[in-house]
Every structure is written in structure tokens, then in C-alpha cells.
């Protein structure tokens, strides 16, 4: 098979994957805007006329699914799927992408409130046509966020960097993935999902598209504080076992300190300065403290390894494969 992106079909099939959770206020309006944009892209010959908008209902409690259902009935440009309950933004995106994988050449994930500038789609597609398998949407600024969201996001990105995770700052889930990248993503079976951290670890040729974020026009933010915290904890725990290594290091340092203190206490005992029983108490508690934290770290290291094994991430991803039948095998020289 020869893999040559210069032969890429310039009007590939695009699926816009849209997670929707209690979006009855915003959906009708944004679905229309999405349709207009997709139709303009089709008319301009940028994407195939088979392109679609995939609306994923993440167990909404309002009329979101009813709206999706009637949109799909009215116009074949829409398609939809619905969860049995609320599984969260990341799962909704993943489900949409995996459902679209069999039909699309590329997908773009975008929020239902269209806070992300849909006009940036042209640049995403341009990068794809130039050979990128992944295109990350990065917001120009965080002016539309409140103080708490801005501060917590900055802190989170700094903390992730400290833990050695390569998360692109200010990139949420507005991104393009080619069919090849989607197939690679399908190999990851983990349940604890943090796509923003996971996708950059896959490699592939990628690029960045900058866009402006608008205020949410209709409906309220669905990211409650609890959901934000869960995402942050998922982000750290799914991408890094470094917190465990920090415990091991702490255990080692406490043990080292204990060893020094034990020597000091014994020296004190020999010089006869101390209160009776003091040396024994100190030596026993220091020894136990150091050993306990250190042992916890060692057990943690193994738990971390089991965790990584349990994830069963692919050990490698093959991007291209070149193979040509020899002429004899081909029967041409016979
Ligand atoms: N969303 C979802 N499941 C959830 C929470 C949010 O599918 O449990 C969707 C939501 O409908 C929207 C996107 O995720 O399409 C981003 O949510 P939102 O706009 O409320 O977040 P914010 O922009 O305030 O961070
Ligand atoms: Mg939003």
C-alpha cells in the first residue's frame, strides 16, 4: 500500500461531532448555523456533499434529544446518537467520533453552544488537505472566561506541565482528526479518558489553528464546578503516574532524615544528655515513619505499573506502510 497525502481527496467527507447536554436553548439555533457552514463548504468544493453533522445527546434531561430527532427527520445532513444517561463531555465526543469513523475522512469536534468560531473550519480543512492528521484549535485569549475559570485553567496547565504531560495550553476539544488518527485512537481502550492529553501522545503530523471564543449566547454552561474538578482529576490521573513517584521520593527523603536523626539520638544517648526513654521512642517512630512512606511509594510504583498495563494502550502506532509485490510473485515474469 502506498500512502501519499499529496493524493488526498481535496473534498473529503467531514463529520462535525457535537456533544450536547441539556442544550435545548442553544441547539436549534446552532444546528442551523452549523448546517449553513457545512453547506457553504460543500458549495465551495472544500468538502464532500456526503458530509454530516453528528449530534450526540449525552443523557440530557430536557428536550435535547427530541430536537435532535426532529432535525434528523427534517434533513439528512444531521444524524444523531443518544446515551442512556449522562456520561460526560469526553465520552460524548469519543462516541461521536467512533460512530463517524466508518463514514468520514475527517471529523471536527465542536461544542453545541458554538462559542468556538465555526468560521475557523476552513483553516482546519486546509491543514488537513496539506497532510495533517490532527489539527488543534487553540483559543486566542481567555477574555470570555470568568476570573475563577481563567485562574483554575492556568493553574491546571502549569501543573500538568510539571507532571510531564504535554497538554497544549488553551486547547479545549475543538479539533480535527483524520480517519487515520481516528483509527489509531480506537486502539486506546481506557475508560479514564482525557482526550486533550491523550491525542497529542499519538504523534502524527499536526498543526494548530487559532480562533476567537465568543460568549455563550443561549443556555448556561454545562460545566459545573464538580464536572470541571472531575475532568482535572481525570486529566492528571489518566496521563501521569508521577504523583506516585513523588510519594516514593518523599519516603526516601523522610527515611534519610530519620537516619540522620537516629544517629543524632544515639550519639545523644551515648553522651548521656537525654531523658530516659527518649532515644528509644524517637528511633522507633522515625524508623517507622520513614519506612511506612517509603514502602507506600514502592507499592505505589507497582500499582502505577499495573494501572499502565491495565490501560493496554497501543505500544506503537504505524503511520505508513509501504509494500510492493515482487514482479515474480505478481505473476508478471512467469
Ligand atoms: N457537555 C456534554 N456533557 C456534559 C457537559 C457538557 O456533552 O456532561 C457538552 C455541552 O453540551 C457543550 C460542551 O460539552 O456542547 C461544552 O460544554 P459548555 O459549553 O457548557 O462548557 P464551557 O464552554 O462553559 O466550558
Ligand atoms: Mg461553552
Amino acid at each position: 500500500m502506498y500512502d501519499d497525502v499529496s493524493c488526498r481527496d481535496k473534498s473529503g467527507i467531514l463529520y462535525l461531532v457535537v456533544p450536547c447536554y441539556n442544550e435545548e436553548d442553544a441547539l436549534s439555533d446552532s444546528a442551523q448555523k452549523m448546517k449553513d457552514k457545512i453547506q457553504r463548504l460543500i458549495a465551495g468544493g472544500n468538502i464532500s456533499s456526503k458530509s454530516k453533522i453528528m449530534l450526540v445527546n449525552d443523557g440530557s434531561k430536557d428536550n435535547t434529544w427530541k430536537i435532535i430527532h426532529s432535525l434528523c427527520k427534517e434533513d439528512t445532513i444531521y444524524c444523531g446518537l443518544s446515551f442512556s444517561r449522562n456520561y460526560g463531555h469526553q465520552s460524548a465526543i469519543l462516541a461521536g467520533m467512533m460512530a463517524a469513523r466508518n463514514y468520514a475522512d475527517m471529523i471536527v469536534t465542536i461544542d453545541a453552544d458554538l462559542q468556538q468560531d465555526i468560521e475557523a473550519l476552513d483553516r482546519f480543512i486546509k491543514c488537513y488537505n496539506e497532510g495533517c492528521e490532527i489539527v488543534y484549535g487553540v483559543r486566542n485569549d481567555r477574555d470570555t472566561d470568568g476570573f475563577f475559570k481563567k485562574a483554575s485553567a492556568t493553574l491546571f496547565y502549569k501543573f500538568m506541565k510539571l507532571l510531564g504531560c504535554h497538554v497544549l495550553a488553551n486547547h479545549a476539544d475543538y479539533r480535527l482528526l483524520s480517519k487515520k488518527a481516528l483509527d489509531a485512537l480506537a486502539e486506546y481502550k481506557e475508560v479514564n479518558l482525557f482526550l486533550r492529553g491523550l491525542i497529542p501522545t499519538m504523534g502524527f503530523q499536526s498543526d494548530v489553528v487559532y480562533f476567537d471564543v465568543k460568549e455563550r449566547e443561549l443556555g448556561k454552561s454545562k460545566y459545573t464546578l464538580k464536572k470541571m474538578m472531575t475532568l482535572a482529576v481525570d486529566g492528571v490521573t489518566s496521563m501521569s503516574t508521577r504523583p506516585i513517584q513523588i510519594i516514593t521520593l518523599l519516603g526516601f527523603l523522610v527515611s534519610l532524615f530519620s537516619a540522620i536523626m537516629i544517629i543524632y539520638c544515639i550519639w545523644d544517648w551515648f553522651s548521656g544528655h537525654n531523658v530516659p526513654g527518649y532515644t528509644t521512642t524517637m528511633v522507633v517512630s522515625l524508623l517507622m515513619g520513614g519506612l511506612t512512606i517509603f514502602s507506600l511509594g514502592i507499592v505505589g510504583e507497582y500499582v502505577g505499573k499495573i494501572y499502565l498495563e491495565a490501560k493496554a494502550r497501543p505500544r506503537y502506532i504505524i503511520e505508513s506502510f509501504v509494500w510492493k509485490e515482487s514482479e515474480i510473485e505478481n505473476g508478471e515474469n512467469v
Side-chain angles (χ1 to χ4, degrees):
M1 181 184 103
Y2 280 96
D3 190 281
D4 185 359
V5 285
S6 62
C7 300
R8 200 166 240 175
D9 185 2
K10 290 284 186 264
S11 49
I13 304 172
L14 167 73
Y15 269 54
L16 207 56
V17 174
V18 192
C20 310
Y21 177 57
N22 293 344
E23 294 287 3
E24 64 179 5
D25 296 327
L27 196 56
S28 305
D29 184 60
S30 42
Q32 184 59 47
K33 286 184 183 151
M34 287 174 199
K35 180 181 158 183
D36 292 346
K37 181 66 193 168
I38 294 291
Q39 282 180 335
R40 268 184 280 137
L41 286 168
I42 294 172
N46 298 308
I47 54 172
S48 157
S49 56
K50 289 184 193 151
S51 300
K52 279 184 187 289
I53 300 161
M54 175 164 282
L55 303 162
V56 183
N57 174 36
D58 182 14
S60 302
K61 293 181 185 73
D62 63 3
N63 288 319
T64 302
W65 180 236
K66 270 193 192 153
I67 297 172
I68 295 176
H69 213 266
S70 61
L71 284 169
C72 297
K73 260 185 161 176
E74 278 166 26
D75 198 327
T76 54
I77 200 165
Y78 299 109
C79 54
L81 63 92
S82 186
F83 281 169
S84 56
R85 64 164 171 87
N86 179 237
Y87 282 94
H89 182 211
Q90 300 289 292
S91 300
I93 292 178
L94 185 71
M97 291 195 295
M98 289 304 118
R101 178 164 77 103
N102 300 322
Y103 311 101
D105 295 315
M106 61 187 133
I107 63 92
V108 172
T109 44
I110 190 166
D111 290 350
D113 54 9
L114 281 191
Q115 278 190 275
Q116 297 138 327
D117 181 16
I118 197 165
E119 292 306 321
L121 272 183
D122 301 65
R123 284 179 282 142
F124 277 89
I125 296 163
K126 187 170 173 279
C127 292
Y128 168 80
N129 286 338
E130 284 166 0
C132 287
E133 306 293 345
I134 304 172
V135 187
Y136 301 99
V138 173
R139 49 197 293 174
N140 282 325
D141 53 56
R142 287 196 157 265
D143 293 349
T144 50
D145 281 351
F147 171 76
F148 179 73
K149 200 154 187 169
K150 213 188 288 190
S152 57
T154 312
L155 207 72
F156 175 70
Y157 287 120
K158 288 220 163 100
F159 186 59
M160 287 298 273
K161 206 169 171 193
L162 202 76
L163 293 179
C165 308
H166 303 287
V167 183
L168 204 62
N170 294 332
H171 159 66
D173 288 292
Y174 189 21
R175 79 174 81 75
L176 178 146
L177 291 183
S178 70
K179 162 105 176 99
K180 194 185 276 182
L182 286 174
D183 287 344
L185 184 64
E187 296 296 315
Y188 290 76
K189 308 287 180 207
E190 58 203 76
V191 178
N192 190 345
L193 200 63
F194 186 65
L195 292 167
R196 288 170 219 186
L198 188 65
I199 290 173
T201 65
M202 296 199 308
F204 291 122
Q205 187 177 331
S206 60
D207 208 341
V208 168
V209 161
Y210 292 92
F211 66 93
D212 290 325
V213 179
K214 288 176 259 169
E215 298 274 359
R216 192 186 243 273
E217 283 170 15
L218 297 159
K220 277 191 270 177
S221 171
K222 305 300 171 306
Y223 257 97
T224 53
L225 184 63
K226 190 172 160 233
K227 277 187 193 284
M228 255 162 66
M229 297 287 282
T230 312
L231 185 70
V233 172
D234 276 355
V236 174
T237 54
S238 81
M239 295 312 298
S240 175
T241 51
R242 204 166 277 183
I244 298 174
Q245 284 152 6
I246 295 171
I247 296 176
T248 317
L249 183 73
L250 200 73
F252 177 73
L253 292 177
V254 172
S255 301
L256 199 72
F257 173 72
S258 306
I260 297 166
M261 282 304 285
I262 287 167
I263 294 167
Y264 172 74
C265 287
I266 293 173
W267 176 77
D268 217 25
W269 182 72
F270 272 118
S271 37
H273 296 313
N274 63 348
V275 183
Y278 171 77
T279 312
T280 324
T281 318
M282 280 302 281
V283 168
V284 170
S285 54
L286 285 169
L287 207 65
M288 288 316 291
L291 275 178
T292 309
I293 303 179
F294 194 46
S295 320
L296 207 66
I298 292 174
V299 174
E301 290 289 335
Y302 283 99
V303 173
K305 293 270 183 293
I306 296 169
Y307 179 57
L308 293 178
E309 290 289 341
K311 274 178 185 280
R313 283 186 179 173
R315 278 170 290 178
Y316 48 79
I317 294 168
I318 296 174
E319 183 168 0
S320 308
F321 185 64
V322 185
W323 185 81
K324 188 174 185 288
E325 267 181 43
S326 77
E327 280 161 0
I328 292 179
E329 274 174 43
N330 219 4
E332 285 173 15
N333 273 11
V334 180

